[in-house]
Amino acid sequence: MKTNPRPQRGPLRRPARRALLVVHVVGAAGWLGLTLGLLALGVTAATTSSAAAVDASVRAMKLFADWLLIPAGLLTFTSGLVLSLGTPWGLARHRWVWTKFWLTLATLTATVLALRPGVNAAVTAVTAGGPLPDAGDVLMGPVVSLSAYVFMTVISVLKPWGLTRRGRRLRATARRPVTPVRPADYPGGSIVPVAGE
């Protein structure tokens, strides 16, 4: 016996949704892993007494920051945005999705405007033969980013806080019963409302 297929939810079909979810999770896991690697390299640079280890650590951090972090962050941000817009979760319907959107945007911006310049300043100083100028340049960015990514992972799993104001309004609108329009409700039996009604 042939059964009807399950109805699709949201504008994205199920295979596209699943593929996009895999891309999003892989991008986010990569971004989290890169940040953990940056933190390990930053701790090494800040705590070792070996000039060669400091030099190798900050150069590796520069490689991560210049070539890997931005693509991983953009992949995560873009795939998350498309998923939220293409599924019933919506972008501004649930507080946890809305929070993830703004935190991802903030950490991506901080990567470009703060983390990369800090790492580049450290590389410039160490390459010139000087000591690491400030351990904060190589530690604070990864610590803040890693904290944000772990927090976003937790709220992705737990989905706390419920609906936003917009989400509650949309849900109430969807539940409102639709009153059928009958021709008898209008003068002359027309279903087109007369001016002034």
Side-chain angles (χ1 to χ4, degrees):
M1 175 158 77
K2 196 171 185 180
T3 59
N4 291 334
R6 283 177 41 184
Q8 299 296 326
R9 298 174 64 195
L12 287 175
R13 299 253 181 231
R14 189 174 184 189
R17 244 187 359 252
R18 285 183 166 184
L20 202 54
L21 182 60
V22 168
V23 168
H24 182 66
V25 170
V26 167
W31 203 10
L32 179 66
L34 287 166
T35 304
L36 192 57
L38 276 174
L39 181 60
L41 291 166
V43 167
T44 301
T47 58
T48 188
S49 56
S50 165
V54 172
D55 184 60
S57 295
V58 295
R59 284 176 188 269
M61 289 181 79
K62 180 171 174 45
L63 179 70
F64 278 25
D66 286 349
W67 294 100
L68 301 173
L69 278 180
I70 304 297
L74 285 173
L75 180 66
T76 303
F77 180 76
T78 305
S79 60
L81 183 61
V82 173
L83 269 172
S84 67
L85 294 173
T87 63
W89 287 111
L91 180 60
R93 291 182 191 165
H94 296 82
R95 288 189 179 116
W96 71 272
V97 177
W98 196 229
T99 301
K100 274 186 65 178
F101 169 77
W102 287 108
L103 271 176
T104 303
L105 186 60
T107 52
L108 187 57
T109 304
T111 297
V112 173
L113 300 179
L115 190 143
R116 284 182 70 209
V119 168
N120 288 334
V123 170
T124 301
V126 170
T127 303
L132 189 65
D134 183 11
D137 287 343
V138 294
L139 288 176
M140 284 311 294
V143 166
V144 171
S145 296
L146 188 61
S147 302
Y149 305 148
V150 168
F151 176 72
M152 286 187 276
T153 301
V154 169
I155 65 173
S156 292
V157 172
L158 300 179
K159 298 173 180 45
W161 309 317
L163 296 170
T164 61
R165 194 175 310 157
R166 180 177 188 271
R168 287 192 300 271
R169 201 170 47 247
L170 289 171
R171 182 172 283 175
T173 303
R175 288 184 180 168
R176 228 179 264 149
V178 177
T179 306
V181 176
R182 295 173 298 155
D185 292 339
Y186 295 99
S190 170
I191 62 169
V192 178
V194 177
E197 287 190 305

